Amino acid sequence: MKHLSTAEIREAYLRFFEDKGNKRMPSSSLIPDDPSMLLTSAGMVQFKPYFLQQKHLPEPYVGAATVQKCVRTNDIEIIGTTGRHLSFFEMLGNFSFGAYFKKEMCAWAYEFSTQDLGLDPDRLYYTVFEDDDETIGIWESLGIEPHRISRLGEKDNFWNAGPTGPCGPCSELYYDQGPEFGCGSENCGPGCDCDRYLEYWNLVFTQYDRQEDGSLVELPKKNIDTGMGLERIAAILQQVQSNYETDVLRSLIAVGERLSGKSYKAQAGSSAPGVDPATPAPAPGTAGTPGARGVDPAAPAPAPGAPAAVAPVPATSDDDLCLRIIADHARSVTFMIADGILPANEGRGYVLRRLLRRAIMKANMIGIEGAFLGNYVDEVVRLMGGVYPELTGNHELILRVVLSEEERFGATLRQGKAYLEAALRDFEGASLGGTQTFTLHDTYGFPIEVTEEIAAARGITVDREGFARLMEEQRTRARAHAKDADKAWSTYGGVMSDILREKGATDFLGYKRPSSEATVIALVCEGERVESLSVGQSGEVVCDQSPFYAEKGGQVGDTGTMCAPGLRLVVTDTQEPEKGLVSHTVTVEEGKLALGDTLQLAIDAPRRERISRNHTATHILHWALREVLGEHVKQAGSLVAPNRLRFDFTHFEALTADQIASVERLANEKIMENYKVRAYETSLAAAREAGVVALFGEKYGDYVRVLDIEGFSQELCGGTHVTATGEIGFVKVVSEASVGANLRRIEAVSSFDALAYLNRIEAELKEAASGLKVPLFEVAERAAANARALKERGAAQRQSKQVDAEESIAPLLEAMTDVGYPLVIAKVGLCDAGGLRNRWDMLRTRMASPGACVLAAEHEGAPLLLAAAAPEAVDAGFDAVAVIKAVSSHIQGGGGGKPTMAQAGGRRLEGIDAALQAARGLFV
């Protein structure tokens, strides 16, 4: 057996299959092209178009070979508890789309295993589908003894894409680790749930098309789809017991050792490797899934089965567990951010945030405090940046994102942990209530899974049902205000759906002309279909064709007119209630409109031109933002109106003034250089092949519209645009703000609206300059100087008041009497309630022993009273509330407070002396 590093295995695999005529291809992004998928979790994902014969490899390649980066978190709770489960893993895979099949694949698998990897042929075993005599014959022709080949059923060794469609048998390669890893059963063999026989490579032979009746029809082109977990084969060749002892992950664990001062104590065999029957299995035979019985594709083998191997121990220490989880999650986080994923509360962003927060929680448990993930990021980039250049290119970005998330979560973590600790300390029973878990989620940002982990460490379960009920109640409250609107829309939507089914889609003419003739094919008023609309009535008009653009993709709908002899309608909005159906919201100003009428439709052309300028400007701003901030910037929403544009995008912090200025400068350079703008239709596959930007979650048809701004910006877009960037004039960003975690928004104006915006700023500046009596460009300097002067004057006034207050204390102390404690009853002149309290504070510090006071003052022509005392004076009988109640009638006022301090205001200023005299009478 050869001892190879992870990097050496990766290169050996690619080089081997490259020598066999396969094209070496890079890993695809963790963000799959397929909008139905959240994350790339298998090697075959990028090759779907090839399997479907939509794309073809160039001559003379017979297939493709990759090492695909993958993320899978459906078993996140198990990660670290065994030696094989990982959230991030690399999948070695080779694929054929009809050029080679079983004979070549089996021979190459045997050759690579025994010669390039140096695995002992006597330790290799093979499983095949029970009816696949062809594959058994191929293995035997390679010299494999029959007793090393096992037949397994459809559950284990047959891959299906679904109940019908492409499918085929699998053949799996196993490594025998030795009897000390076995269950001791005489029936133990490949496919057994014990750890002796470790599957390390899965070969899928897609050769059939399953019919509705269950019959199998041979495919005209038979495919190969294989997967071998890089971490798994590395563990075998490096003769270690788990993924976490392989070179890459062990280096990451060392980072945790250094930061925490803990030692990773796992010994060889510390993690019970092998097949875990409790692990949820991916679809059998899926590329990148070496197992069909719950084997984690990321899971490398335990030790290679040398006679002296140590039998596995099914546990690991708490410290080891934390070190493993942090190492694994940090690698996942680094790769996800490098591919443009940012923390969020839904979708793949939520997966990232959960991994980040789980790593932070585990670090906290072993004494790592403050920001620490940057250390792991640096190590991942050092170890893997040479193979994955996106790590190196986005190194700084990754560091900033993880730091931002650590700071964001760190504050709530301390508060949330205190809340949870209190809840668990006072807890009685077996399950933590849904109310507490909901509070942790809603107030402190604790994912329910994190709460479950902390509670589980104390043997306490969490009331999932109660939590789910409270979450649903919250959603119900959020939806309640829209209930009536939803009901109305349901009725309206049904009407529009009927129109589309009966009449077909509207032919949109607005890309090429602003007006056209059209026939009315449907009328809707108050949600019901009608035969006509009369003067003064409003409703919706559907025509067979229209130049009006319906609101979608962020662009607002057109307005305009519909006319015929004796008939005029004003179009106030255009919508698309069903895909392809254009509905015009109208008000009849003259005449009567009926079904079948022929109308002349005309959009408000100047308004459309303003919208088009803003829409093209959003594309240019998107490009400029990516140039300034990085490739992680993705569109997350937009509004394109005639007078402004709004653009939401992914980013982790506020833009600086310099960054905004750079975005504006780049955008306006492209505008003023007057690049041509071209829109064209092409197939979705061709657009993606050309690298055209598409939005995740958007559903596209087979053919799409591409907006190409002379090569520097290419995006899928169905909106209306200018023909050259110079038509925009210029663009001005007017605001930048946060609209959610890692989500920013810029608002901007262009063309005449940008000019109007600058004219308004100039007018305001001129008015300020006139008032300040300074030149136009000295307004800021003078305003700052005035602000400083006001601040200094305010400070001087406060200082003067303090001096006056201190000077007034000496006479008060002279009036002090002893009633068992020092007591001052006096009038202090002019001051507010705060001034009275300030004087009490100064009196208290100058009294020889704890005492009390009754003070009076005039403020803005009204009397004020204050009674206050130290706690010792209260204990001796002074009650500030009682004093105020007894004397406040003299000033025709009232008040209240506590025994240590009470105050009152009144209307009778001349009653102050009587009030103070009454106070003195209370202490005679």
Side-chain angles (χ1 to χ4, degrees), residues 64-121:
T66 65
V67 180
Q68 175 64 47
K69 53 190 177 184
C70 302
V71 168
R72 202 186 79 186
T73 59
N74 61 322
D75 53 4
I76 190 171
E77 294 82 7
I78 303 173
I79 290 170
T81 62
T82 75
R84 52 198 188 284
H85 290 86
L86 299 172
S87 59
F88 175 91
F89 55 93
E90 294 179 86
M91 187 55 57
L92 307 172
N94 63 285
F95 310 88
S96 173
F97 317 109
Y100 62 83
F101 199 50
K102 291 182 181 180
K103 183 177 179 180
E104 295 86 350
M105 189 62 241
C106 291
W108 292 344
Y110 184 77
E111 179 185 349
F112 183 72
S113 296
T114 59
Q115 296 183 28
D116 291 71
L117 299 182
L119 297 177
D120 183 353

Side-chain angles (χ1 to χ4, degrees), residues 509 516-520 543-547 596-601:
L509 310 173
S516 72
E517 189 176 82
T519 302
V520 178
C543 299
D544 59 341
Q545 58 184 19
S546 174
D597 283 353
T598 298
L599 303 173
Q600 187 67 31
L601 279 56

Side-chain angles (χ1 to χ4, degrees), residues 196-212:
R196 176 172 179 176
Y197 296 94
L198 180 72
E199 177 204 342
Y200 69 91
W201 204 346
N202 187 24
L203 319 178
V204 180
F205 309 125
T206 310
Q207 64 186 100
Y208 299 116
D209 183 8
R210 192 187 295 275
Q211 306 298 299
E212 293 287 348

Side-chain angles (χ1 to χ4, degrees), residues 158-179:
F158 198 93
W159 176 78
N160 297 279
T164 60
C167 58
C170 310
S171 185
E172 299 162 340
L173 281 71
Y174 287 77
Y175 187 84
D176 180 6
Q177 303 189 92

Side-chain angles (χ1 to χ4, degrees), residues 824-878:
V824 174
I825 300 176
K827 182 178 179 180
V828 298
L830 299 174
C831 73
D832 58 15
L836 281 177
R837 291 191 295 272
N838 187 39
R839 281 164 174 77
W840 161 239
D841 288 338
M842 288 188 286
L843 272 174
R844 183 169 52 184
T845 61
R846 288 167 172 75
M847 287 178 171
S849 58
C853 74
V854 180
L855 304 178
E858 177 186 343
H859 179 60
E860 296 181 351
L864 295 175
L865 294 174
L866 172 76
E872 292 84 351
V874 173
D875 292 340
F878 187 92

Side-chain angles (χ1 to χ4, degrees), residues 460-672:
I460 298 172
T461 60
V462 167
D463 179 10
R464 267 273 186 175
E465 291 185 3
F467 172 79
R469 184 177 63 255
L470 290 169
M471 286 293 292
E472 183 56 34
E473 288 175 3
Q474 186 184 61
R475 296 187 191 103
T476 299
R477 287 192 297 271
R479 291 191 298 258
H481 72 280
K483 184 176 180 181
D484 292 339
D486 289 343
K487 183 177 179 181
W489 172 256
S490 178
T491 303
Y492 169 77
V495 169
M496 291 299 178
S497 179
D498 289 343
I499 294 172
L500 178 63
R501 186 174 60 254
E502 294 171 14
K503 307 295 184 180
T506 308
D507 186 9
F508 177 61
L509 310 173
Y511 288 133
K512 295 183 178 179
R513 36 180 151 150
S515 62
S516 72
E517 189 176 82
T519 302
V520 178
I521 59 174
L523 295 173
V524 176
C525 184
E526 297 181 353
E528 300 290 338
R529 294 177 73 168
V530 295
E531 296 293 318
S532 63
L533 291 173
S534 300
V535 172
Q537 276 193 298
S538 296
E540 294 180 62
V541 178
V542 179
C543 299
D544 59 341
Q545 58 184 19
S546 174
F548 284 76
Y549 182 86
E551 180 176 341
K552 57 183 176 292
Q555 179 173 329
V556 299
D558 279 332
T559 61
T561 60
M562 294 181 170
C563 299
L567 179 63
R568 176 180 169 83
L569 294 81
V570 175
V571 180
T572 57
D573 192 16
T574 309
Q575 294 289 325
E576 189 181 63
E578 295 286 337
K579 187 171 178 58
L581 189 71
V582 176
S583 174
H584 311 81
T585 303
V586 305
T587 298
V588 182
E589 286 192 343
E590 180 184 351
K592 182 177 181 180
L593 176 67
L595 285 173
D597 283 353
T598 298
L599 303 173
Q600 187 67 31
L601 279 56
I603 66 170
D604 182 339
R607 179 178 181 272
R608 162 77 80 79
E609 289 169 1
R610 294 170 68 197
I611 293 170
S612 297
R613 293 185 193 112
N614 280 339
H615 203 156
T616 306
T618 63
H619 286 253
I620 297 173
L621 284 169
H622 188 192
W623 167 82
L625 285 164
R626 288 168 67 90
E627 288 291 305
V628 172
L629 304 178
E631 293 297 307
H632 66 282
V633 170
K634 310 286 183 186
Q635 181 176 343
S638 67
L639 171 68
V640 181
N643 61 335
R644 65 190 177 104
L645 66 91
R646 186 179 71 211
F647 188 79
D648 298 344
F649 59 97
T650 54
H651 190 54
F652 50 87
E653 63 184 2
L655 273 67
T656 65
D658 286 345
Q659 287 173 328
I660 294 174
S662 295
V663 168
E664 281 189 339
R665 178 179 54 77
L666 287 173
N668 283 305
E669 281 178 0
K670 294 298 183 184
I671 290 170
M672 294 176 189

